[in-house]
Amino acid sequence: MQQRRIGDVQVSAIGLGGMPMSIEGRPDHQRSVATIHAALDAGVTLVDTADAYHVHADEVGHNEALIAEALASYGGDTSSVLVATKGGHVRPGDGSWKVDGRPEYLRQAAEASLKRLGVEAIGLYQYHRPDPKVPYAESVGALADLLDAGKIRMAGISNANPAQIREAQEVLGGRLVSVQNQYSPAFRSSRPELDLCTELGLAFLPWSPLGGISRAGGLGDRFAAFRQVADARGVSPQQVDIAWMLAASPVVVPIPGSSRPETIRDTVQAAGLVLTSDELAALDAAAG
Ligand SMILES: NC(=O)c1ccc[n+]([C@@H]2O[C@H](COP(=O)([O-])OP(=O)(O)OC[C@H]3O[C@@H](n4cnc5c(N)ncnc54)[C@H](OP(=O)(O)O)[C@@H]3O)[C@@H](O)[C@H]2O)c1
């Protein structure tokens, strides 16, 4: 598969988003493990997760544990797989998502993620979402501490605006490697962050790149141009979507979610789909 970079680490140009395997509507354990193994078989070497990908209050880190188990039970070599996790979101178990950006909380959450992932240092640790009650520099400062302590190898942020990207880069002393924001045909307001990442050489990981768990399947129905290009190429609209993102900038590393082997197998083929400038122009116009 085509390769891209996050910091000094080479990863597959398309990663696997783990969220659908651990939140509401998740599949059974066996299907989730089969999905992760299918991604690895297809050459995926980036898996995105978070401690908050769970349903019940007593199963924090459900997705991290699942990924660690699937990596351990995979027959092949997983040494080049980068697991990117996040801290700063909490789920009390009533279906809601809350934020906690206190530095002491983030340091403790990272320690817990480290244990669940069974690694000496987390490959990429991302501050999940700004907490309005805590100065941003203080939350990101916890990531600097974790880097200094060797608990995490790389630091990223998520749901950040351009000012926060610049602030994080400063607080981390130039060690910020990635930004994970929502970006899809229906949600393009993260374009300024994508452009800033291109300028600064930071990886940009679009989340919900297919429009989100409940809408991903209907992408081609909602965006006729994506359906048209897909039909002309004999591929799925989801492949066209991811190929369109990869063409936007060399720093883009999409992380489509999946809970079935067949969907991740289909989507990763986008890494080999090179769209023409006419096709890209039609998709840009449709998505705008
Ligand atoms: N940082 C944040 O705040 C944040 C927020 C949301 C998500 N994320 C991350 O971003 C990842 C991706 O976002 P997402 O999972 O919300 O949404 P998404 O990637 O837009 O959509 C996920 C859904 O797409 C479906 N799908 C994938 N490939 C397909 C294909 N080729 N054809 C048809 N359907 C296909 C999957 O269906 P099946 O389930 O049937 O396989 C899956 O449920 C998450 O998993 C998570 O890691 C981060």
Side-chain angles (χ1 to χ4, degrees):
M1 193 188 316
Q2 186 192 141
Q3 305 288 300
R4 297 217 162 168
R5 294 198 84 77
I6 299 179
D8 60 359
V9 176
Q10 181 172 288
V11 293
S12 54
I14 299 170
L16 169 68
M19 192 170 80
M21 293 179 280
S22 288
I23 68 162
E24 290 79 355
R26 66 193 178 195
D28 63 35
H29 187 75
Q30 197 182 357
R31 194 176 102 190
S32 291
V33 172
T35 302
I36 298 163
H37 287 177
L40 298 171
D41 286 344
V44 168
T45 56
L46 169 66
V47 185
D48 182 74
T49 181
D51 59 357
Y53 295 163
H54 64 95
V55 176
H56 308 293
D58 62 355
E59 54 168 23
V60 174
H62 177 279
N63 198 245
E64 293 176 322
L66 174 69
I67 288 163
E69 187 204 315
L71 287 173
S73 65
Y74 186 65
D77 180 17
T78 58
S79 58
S80 62
V81 176
L82 176 66
V83 178
T85 192
K86 314 180 201 79
H89 248 315
V90 285
R91 301 202 73 195
D94 59 1
S96 67
W97 296 76
K98 312 271 189 227
V99 287
D100 190 340
R102 293 172 298 135
E104 61 273 26
Y105 167 75
L106 291 171
R107 283 191 293 267
Q108 166 222 306
E111 289 278 358
S113 291
L114 192 102
K115 289 201 181 77
R116 277 188 295 267
L117 291 171
V119 291
E120 279 176 25
I122 293 171
L124 172 62
Y125 195 68
Q126 306 155 99
Y127 177 38
H128 207 149
R129 185 178 287 276
D131 179 348
K133 297 187 298 301
V134 182
Y136 198 60
E138 287 184 20
S139 303
V140 176
L143 268 61
D145 295 344
L146 289 163
L147 279 170
D148 292 342
K151 303 279 184 188
I152 65 175
R153 284 177 42 228
M154 298 191 290
I157 54 175
S158 180
N159 299 298
N161 63 32
Q164 289 165 332
I165 295 171
R166 291 188 189 280
E167 187 176 2
Q169 186 60 299
E170 196 178 319
V171 170
L172 291 165
R175 293 179 291 173
L176 179 68
V177 300
S178 65
V179 176
Q180 182 177 144
N181 276 14
Q182 186 174 9
Y183 192 70
S184 69
F187 189 97
R188 298 215 304 161
S189 54
S190 282
R191 187 74 209 203
E193 289 84 15
L194 193 168
D195 292 340
L196 182 59
C197 285
T198 304
E199 181 191 324
L200 299 177
L202 303 172
F204 181 86
L205 281 54
W207 65 255
S208 291
L210 301 171
I213 296 172
S214 59
R215 309 189 70 168
L219 181 85
D221 302 328
R222 281 179 290 115
F223 294 94
F226 285 75
R227 165 74 65 199
Q228 281 158 14
V229 173
D231 288 350
R233 293 299 198 105
V235 300
S236 67
Q238 289 79 13
Q239 278 188 46
V240 173
D241 176 338
I242 299 297
W244 167 73
M245 288 195 181
L246 290 171
S249 166
V251 303
V252 170
V253 184
I255 46 167
S258 186
S259 70
R260 288 182 292 139
E262 50 270 39
T263 51
I264 188 64
R265 271 191 214 116
D266 179 69
T267 311
V268 294
Q269 293 177 54
L273 178 64
V274 180
L275 299 170
T276 66
S277 51
D278 284 353
E279 287 171 331
L280 289 170
L283 298 172
D284 281 342

